[in-house]
Amino acid sequence: MKRTLILAATVSYIALLVLLGISYYVGLRQVAGWPAKGMKEASAKELSRVERDLKTLGRRMDSLQPRGLYIVIDTGANRLYLKKGDRVVREAVVSCGSGDVLEDPGGKRKWIFDTPRGEFSVKSKITNPYWVKPDWAFIEEGEPIPKNPKERLEAGTLGDYALGFGSGYFIHGTLYTRLLGRNVTHGCVRVGDSDLKEIFRTVPVGAKIFIF
Amino acid sequence: MRRIGLVLVSGLVLGAAAGFGQTSGRVEARESLRSLDAEYQLARQSSSYFVLDVLEKRMELRIKGMPLKTWAIDKVKFWGRPDFNATVELARKSALRPPRRNVITPGEPESQVEESGKFELEALELEDMPQTFSLYFDTGLHIAVRSGTRGFKGLGRGVGEAVGWYVWLPIRNLFRTMARRPVSELEFTFADGRDAQAVYWIFYDGIKGIIRR
């Protein structure tokens, strides 16, 4: 019985080794297939054409990049970078979207408080902005949604300046400076007073904003 | 006579080397063009995309051709033949404990618990992201993302991952090759767990990218 078990274990072990050997042989043959399929070598004539195409494409890529000042926002690190070319002109600690979810008790609407990502541009610059409270602000506080638009206005909440970048999203000031560096907003980007003042002063309408 | 023979042999060796250099240069030029062309198509869009350089062990998040964030990868392993220089699209992320969004209860004040000077917020933050997870792409490519963990726990996990990579994966590849669906798998390890968390944060479903070798 003991001998049979030892024999069975040995056979299994050898079978596993053989299987592994075949597996590695097949796998290494696949890897050795570099360069990738369909990647034939170019002739000398083709090579000069390829090099010319590379230069043209490189120039086209460069033309896509913004001229002048632009803003980059890292929503995970809660950092804003004011940049010109490759150079960082100013770095600021900010607050981005909390990622929280709010559902309308009526069940018809749902909001996810993320800061949007991608390419945007500064669409408006406002001094002493008023916050026009959207429906979710009332729902979140458990208050009825007002019928009079004037009841939606709130002064001071957004700080001294705001830069709109579309769909109701702003880069604005904050009363809650101790929360800078944390994800606490409803999607807007909150900035400290001195950084906001500098951004507002230097960034023109139309400047690009890249958020990731 | 010996001198002539030596010159001939040297000439042959140098000629072969030059020929090989030219050949690999031609292949590289075509690969570069293919890669740049794929990137140009992505850069024309208004979304960010990633460029993963396997042999350089570096990954960049880019938009319009500009790097937004760069990650240095500590270790890279791959199996199979990922379609290098072509565009891939993230189909889904998978983690053992994926982060969950907080659902706000209307009318309830937001709780902020202060612990040693830091506020515990009911929010989704970078530190809530997993450090070990998988990325599945539309081409069938699977990227396993890991971060260096020290200590006994890290050792145990390391043994498990090594068995998975060096034993289970080749066997799985063999059977999948027989079914004409060979495995295409990359594994990279970050020295700093926060880098892995940042990848999880930034890589949304549908993000496109290019994998270079």
Side-chain angles (χ1 to χ4, degrees), chain A residues 111-170:
Chain A
W111 293 271
I112 298 173
F113 297 128
D114 282 333
T115 299
R117 298 177 190 196
E119 181 195 4
F120 305 89
S121 61
V122 177
K123 295 204 184 317
S124 60
K125 287 173 72 174
I126 309 160
T127 313
N128 296 319
Y130 275 70
W131 182 31
V132 185
K133 289 173 78 174
D135 287 357
W136 55 254
F138 296 98
I139 292 168
E140 187 179 7
E141 288 165 19
E143 292 172 5
I145 298 166
K147 289 191 176 127
N148 183 356
K150 283 182 183 170
E151 289 175 42
R152 289 178 180 263
L153 298 180
E154 198 171 284
T157 316
L158 304 182
D160 297 333
Y161 309 101
L163 296 92
F165 58 92
S167 307
Y169 292 102
F170 287 89

Side-chain angles (χ1 to χ4, degrees), chain B residues 47-104:
Chain B
S47 311
S48 51
Y49 58 92
F50 69 90
V51 176
L52 170 62
D53 204 320
V54 175
L55 296 187
E56 290 283 324
K57 295 202 280 187
R58 198 176 61 160
M59 186 161 70
E60 276 187 345
L61 181 76
R62 293 183 187 174
I63 195 163
K64 303 283 168 196
M66 297 185 301
L68 295 173
K69 196 172 179 74
T70 305
W71 292 271
I73 304 165
D74 197 33
K75 291 176 207 154
V76 177
K77 288 189 278 189
F78 79 89
W79 191 270
R81 194 156 56 187
D83 192 8
F84 292 109
N85 299 323
T87 305
V88 292
E89 185 177 324
L90 181 64
R92 67 183 175 94
K93 294 186 282 193
S94 166
L96 199 61
R97 287 188 205 90
R100 302 231 175 272
R101 289 181 186 274
N102 171 50
V103 179
I104 298 169

Side-chain angles (χ1 to χ4, degrees), chain B residues 127-183:
Chain B
E127 61 190 34
D128 302 320
M129 301 297 118
Q131 295 188 3
T132 301
F133 55 92
S134 288
L135 303 169
Y136 294 92
F137 291 87
D138 59 340
T139 54
L141 170 68
H142 167 224
I143 297 182
V145 180
R146 315 255 179 259
S147 61
T149 310
R150 295 187 191 122
F152 188 72
K153 195 179 163 190
L155 183 74
R157 209 181 70 190
V159 170
E161 284 169 7
V163 170
W165 187 268
Y166 294 107
V167 180
W168 172 236
L169 187 61
I171 293 173
R172 191 158 61 93
N173 181 52
L174 177 69
F175 288 107
R176 286 192 50 171
T177 302
M178 283 156 63
R180 296 185 185 280
R181 287 187 299 118
V183 166

Side-chain angles (χ1 to χ4, degrees), chain A residues 6-7 9 21-22 42 48 62 69 74 89 109 115 118 128-129 134 139 141 143 149 151 157 160 174 204:
Chain A
I6 291 168
L7 190 69
I22 296 167
S48 66
D62 289 343
L69 282 170
D74 181 342
V89 178
R109 291 180 294 176
T115 299
N128 296 319
I139 292 168
E141 288 165 19
E143 292 172 5
E151 289 175 42
T157 316
D160 297 333
T174 180

Side-chain angles (χ1 to χ4, degrees), chain A:
Chain A
M1 183 65 185
K2 197 178 170 185
R3 282 183 64 181
T4 315
L5 274 174
I6 291 168
L7 190 69
T10 311
V11 168
S12 305
Y13 183 65
I14 291 168
L16 178 69
L17 283 181
V18 168
L19 188 64
L20 258 181
I22 296 167
S23 302
Y24 270 88
Y25 175 74
V26 170
L28 291 173
R29 267 179 63 106
Q30 288 167 351
V31 175
W34 276 10
K37 268 181 192 170
M39 198 49 80
K40 288 173 197 158
E41 97 180 48
S43 67
K45 197 178 165 188
E46 265 183 304
L47 185 64
S48 66
R49 189 177 55 80
V50 165
E51 280 168 353
R52 205 174 52 241
D53 289 351
L54 265 173
K55 278 183 190 163
T56 311
L57 258 180
R59 277 199 297 274
R60 281 187 193 163
M61 286 284 282
D62 289 343
S63 71
L64 294 173
Q65 296 175 9
R67 307 279 171 256
L69 282 170
Y70 61 96
I71 294 170
V72 173
I73 298 167
D74 181 342
T75 59
N78 286 301
R79 291 289 185 280
L80 181 148
Y81 304 94
L82 185 59
K83 294 184 81 174
K84 190 170 188 179
D86 293 334
R87 192 165 56 93
V88 177
V89 178
R90 195 175 180 106
E91 183 180 340
V93 179
V94 299
S95 287
C96 295
S98 66
D100 287 349
V101 177
L102 176 68
E103 282 176 20
D104 188 344
K108 286 181 183 167
R109 291 180 294 176
K110 184 180 172 183
W111 293 271
I112 298 173
F113 297 128
D114 282 333
T115 299
R117 298 177 190 196
E119 181 195 4
F120 305 89
S121 61
V122 177
K123 295 204 184 317
S124 60
K125 287 173 72 174
I126 309 160
T127 313
N128 296 319
Y130 275 70
W131 182 31
V132 185
K133 289 173 78 174
D135 287 357
W136 55 254
F138 296 98
I139 292 168
E140 187 179 7
E141 288 165 19
E143 292 172 5
I145 298 166
K147 289 191 176 127
N148 183 356
K150 283 182 183 170
E151 289 175 42
R152 289 178 180 263
L153 298 180
E154 198 171 284
T157 316
L158 304 182
D160 297 333
Y161 309 101
L163 296 92
F165 58 92
S167 307
Y169 292 102
F170 287 89
I171 296 171
H172 61 73
T174 180
L175 301 169
Y176 310 102
T177 50
R178 64 179 183 166
L179 292 175
L180 286 172
R182 307 294 304 274
N183 291 86
V184 289
T185 78
H186 294 89
C188 285
V189 180
R190 294 182 193 166
V191 190
D193 288 344
S194 62
D195 290 321
L196 182 63
K197 193 176 178 181
E198 184 62 13
I199 293 163
F200 190 84
R201 194 181 64 78
T202 54
V203 175
V205 169
K208 291 288 178 197
I209 303 174
F210 302 107
I211 306 177
F212 67 97

Side-chain angles (χ1 to χ4, degrees), chain B residues 109-122:
Chain B
E110 198 179 326
S111 70
Q112 291 178 5
V113 185
E114 191 173 359
E115 274 180 17
S116 58
K118 199 184 174 194
F119 289 94
E120 282 297 316
L121 299 170
E122 286 176 350

Side-chain angles (χ1 to χ4, degrees), chain B residues 1-18:
Chain B
M1 192 65 190
R2 276 178 71 185
R3 198 174 284 174
I4 294 167
L6 199 68
V7 168
L8 274 174
V9 169
S10 308
L12 278 173
V13 170
L14 285 173

